[in-house]
Amino acid sequence: MLVLFKAAGAAALFKNPLHELFEATLPLDNFIDLRELSLTEEQLAEAPNNQQRVIITEQFLLKHIESHKRDQLIISALQKIRLSKGMIKIKDLADTHYISQDAFEKRFRRVVGTSPKQFSNIIKIRSIVDSKPKNGSLSQVALEAGYFDQPHFNKEFKLFTGLNPTDFFKIPQAW
């Protein structure tokens, strides 16, 4: 079973600052009591179908996040990043929330697991992938996304997708 968290969602389950877990593979028993995990694993193994497994997993997660208080400043910042399609200056974002840029970046990394700049870049590339016209000019797409030159766009796009934009958009329904 795979659980995908929304940005800032995993912070409700893990007490560690999420940036400390970035690109790490750790067993869940580092965070949750081993007896409880074993019991949940048994329930999942005995479940008659996937629908029941989802219910068991949801109950397990909800039990562990009930007392979590969401960081409204970071939730607001995430919304602003999404609305701007990743084209927002981090300093402006911090200023909008009346917090220093350094404090904002640290808080964002702790809750989301990545820097606000990295998250903005992910949203920007995702927006490009979602809105790319089938016969549109990639130079125009790059310009509209705030890139000043094609090589920079190509490099960042490949970093996130593994392919340059031309090859990526040739793949039928890759996005």
Side-chain angles (χ1 to χ4, degrees):
M1 175 161 304
L2 176 66
V3 176
L4 296 176
F5 292 99
K6 291 186 177 193
L13 184 63
F14 302 107
K15 303 305 176 216
N16 300 55
L18 289 183
H19 69 279
E20 293 178 0
L21 305 176
F22 189 73
E23 292 189 355
T25 302
L26 300 169
L28 197 52
D29 63 8
N30 279 12
F31 310 100
I32 309 234
D33 180 64
L34 185 57
R35 290 173 295 188
E36 184 179 355
L37 280 178
S38 295
L39 177 62
T40 304
E41 287 174 353
E42 286 176 29
Q43 291 173 339
L44 289 169
E46 294 170 2
N49 55 47
N50 286 337
Q51 184 178 3
Q52 191 61 36
R53 288 181 189 93
V54 169
I55 292 169
I56 292 166
T57 303
E58 285 177 345
Q59 289 172 345
F60 172 81
L61 292 172
L62 287 171
K63 177 182 174 190
H64 288 278
I65 64 172
E66 286 177 352
S67 64
H68 177 73
K69 184 177 177 188
R70 294 172 44 160
D71 188 327
Q72 292 304 320
L73 184 143
I74 300 303
I75 299 301
S76 172
L78 290 167
Q79 289 171 338
K80 289 184 185 317
I81 291 169
R82 284 191 185 100
L83 287 173
S84 73
K85 296 182 180 180
M87 295 189 293
I88 189 167
K89 293 181 180 175
I90 305 310
K91 177 159 181 24
D92 293 345
L93 199 52
D95 289 347
T96 300
H97 291 89
Y98 305 103
I99 187 172
S100 74
Q101 185 171 343
D102 185 54
F104 172 70
E105 289 181 4
K106 287 177 183 173
R107 190 165 165 178
F108 193 98
R109 272 194 310 275
R110 187 177 64 248
V111 173
V112 178
T114 188
S115 74
K117 179 69 175 164
Q118 287 171 318
F119 185 79
S120 292
N121 287 339
I122 291 167
I123 296 300
K124 186 188 299 186
I125 295 296
R126 180 63 193 236
S127 176
I128 291 167
V129 168
D130 289 345
S131 67
K132 165 67 173 75
K134 302 232 185 297
N135 297 321
S137 158
L138 287 176
S139 297
Q140 185 62 33
V141 170
L143 187 61
E144 289 172 3
Y147 293 97
F148 295 106
D149 61 36
Q150 190 73 33
H152 182 230
F153 169 64
N154 291 348
K155 181 179 179 182
E156 194 162 295
F157 193 92
K158 187 172 184 173
L159 177 69
F160 285 99
T161 66
L163 297 169
N164 67 46
T166 303
D167 292 341
F168 181 86
F169 288 114
K170 282 181 183 175
I171 300 171
Q173 298 179 349
W175 61 101

